[in-house]
Amino acid sequence: QRQLVDSGGGSVQVGGSLRLSCVASGYTYGLACMAWFRQVPGKEREGVAVSNSDGDTDYADAVDGRFTITRTRDAAKTTLYLEMNNLKSEDSAMYYCAANSAYCLLSFKLSHYPDWGQGTQVTVSS
């Protein structure tokens, strides 16, 4: 059974760093596209960073230069990371891993991602 499990969230001060992880299991033929989204209450879920299986990446303007998306793969699983540096209060949100095993357009359209993690909370305070 395919599964995405997010972790690594927490509370940090402005200017601090966090690394989120997403373990993807059950994807027999790999993952074409993996991405991070975030959402605050009352607002739409927004894309943060995306990567394809070739190593190409894209970032939302708000995080470009501060966040880095990477992934590793072994026989049993793929792990997606989001390294977040120089965090700002506006980065506070629930962060979600998303995946598409079939194709990747390096987009932030929600409809392009059929699979989602459960989310991990990031809180940045001054």
Side-chain angles (χ1 to χ4, degrees):
Q1 183 175 351
R2 303 194 299 191
Q3 190 177 26
L4 299 175
V5 179
D6 307 329
S7 65
S11 296
V12 64
Q13 290 191 323
V14 169
S17 299
L18 277 175
R19 188 176 78 159
L20 306 183
S21 300
C22 170
V23 177
S25 58
Y27 291 88
T28 306
Y29 302 107
L31 280 154
C33 209
M34 297 187 78
W36 288 100
F37 287 76
R38 65 187 182 187
Q39 188 172 23
V40 297
K43 292 191 174 182
E44 292 186 356
R45 193 169 295 189
E46 64 177 8
V48 174
V50 57
S51 79
N52 65 15
S53 56
D54 292 329
D56 301 315
T57 59
D58 198 12
Y59 297 90
D61 290 343
V63 307
D64 199 7
R66 299 188 296 121
F67 290 11
T68 303
I69 187 171
T70 57
R71 61 162 100 175
T72 62
R73 183 181 180 186
D74 61 29
K77 63 186 184 300
T78 296
T79 305
L80 182 73
Y81 298 99
L82 185 68
E83 186 75 35
M84 305 186 295
N85 296 314
N86 190 21
L87 282 161
K88 304 177 180 181
S89 56
E90 52 263 42
D91 294 320
S92 295
M94 184 72 80
Y95 282 72
Y96 297 90
C97 171
N100 185 323
S101 61
Y103 65 89
C104 191
L105 302 177
L106 287 175
S107 84
F108 293 132
K109 282 191 174 181
L110 300 180
S111 59
H112 287 181
Y113 299 92
D115 301 328
W116 292 83
Q118 82 285 1
T120 185
Q121 179 68 40
V122 172
T123 303
V124 185
S125 58
S126 56

